[in-house]
Amino acid sequence: MNLEILKIASDTTNFKKLNKYTHSAKYKNSMCGDEITVKININNKIIDKIGYEGNFCVYCQASAETLARIFTKKEKNFIVSSLKSLIEIDNFKSLEKNKNFGKVFNTKNIKRKKCIYLPVNALIKALKINI
């Protein structure tokens, strides 16, 4: 296992239940049973808070924490375009060069791609993004 993934996953800053939120979604990986609930509070087109909870593996945890850290305090349009890029690129070799996503979306972790994309798909569902 990649030690960088463990380091990222051990930061549970955003692993929390949000009581006040404007958007939410639950997403499940039918392959392994991982599931995540994402709640987002948007205020004046800015993501004020992102919280997630559920039962998932360390790869999903690292992905969810990475996305929450990157997207908190950003404009919704930035998040929408970033999520679309993640889906459209869908190439870990290209993404691993990205300073924000590269530690998780990395070819070393390609076998756990579905786990890593679970929070991405939950955010897309919560924000009702058409891709």
Side-chain angles (χ1 to χ4, degrees):
M1 175 172 288
N2 184 338
L3 293 177
E4 190 68 39
I5 290 292
L6 287 174
K7 182 179 174 186
I8 295 166
S10 68
D11 178 357
T12 57
T13 303
N14 297 291
F15 182 62
K16 59 188 172 188
K17 181 178 183 174
L18 288 185
N19 292 320
K20 182 182 174 190
Y21 57 91
T22 56
H23 298 71
S24 71
K26 184 175 184 176
Y27 212 84
K28 185 172 183 173
N29 182 343
S30 59
M31 299 282 291
C32 66
D34 282 1
E35 61 183 23
I36 189 169
T37 300
V38 175
K39 294 181 179 175
I40 306 163
N41 189 47
I42 299 176
N43 188 6
N44 293 325
K45 297 183 182 180
I46 303 287
I47 302 293
D48 186 40
K49 292 182 184 174
I50 298 175
Y52 61 90
E53 54 189 330
N55 296 307
F56 37 73
C57 68
V58 69
Y59 290 92
C60 183
Q61 166 76 28
S63 176
E65 190 60 39
T66 297
L67 294 171
R69 277 190 278 149
I70 293 168
F71 294 154
T72 300
K73 304 298 180 196
K74 299 287 191 304
E75 288 188 10
K76 182 181 174 187
N77 290 339
F78 169 78
I79 293 156
V80 169
S81 66
S82 295
L83 290 171
K84 284 184 177 183
S85 291
L86 284 173
I87 294 296
E88 289 169 3
I89 292 172
D90 193 22
N91 181 338
F92 277 27
K93 191 165 183 115
S94 296
L95 289 170
E96 70 187 2
K97 296 172 186 167
N98 183 294
K99 70 176 183 156
N100 291 319
F101 301 110
K103 292 179 182 176
V104 176
F105 295 82
N106 188 298
T107 53
K108 295 177 195 171
N109 308 321
I110 194 78
K111 290 181 180 179
R112 301 305 295 266
K113 183 177 179 177
K114 288 203 179 278
C115 299
I116 292 168
Y117 268 94
L118 192 67
V120 173
N121 291 322
L123 283 168
I124 288 169
K125 185 177 177 181
L127 294 169
K128 296 176 176 62
I129 300 169
N130 293 322
I131 295 182

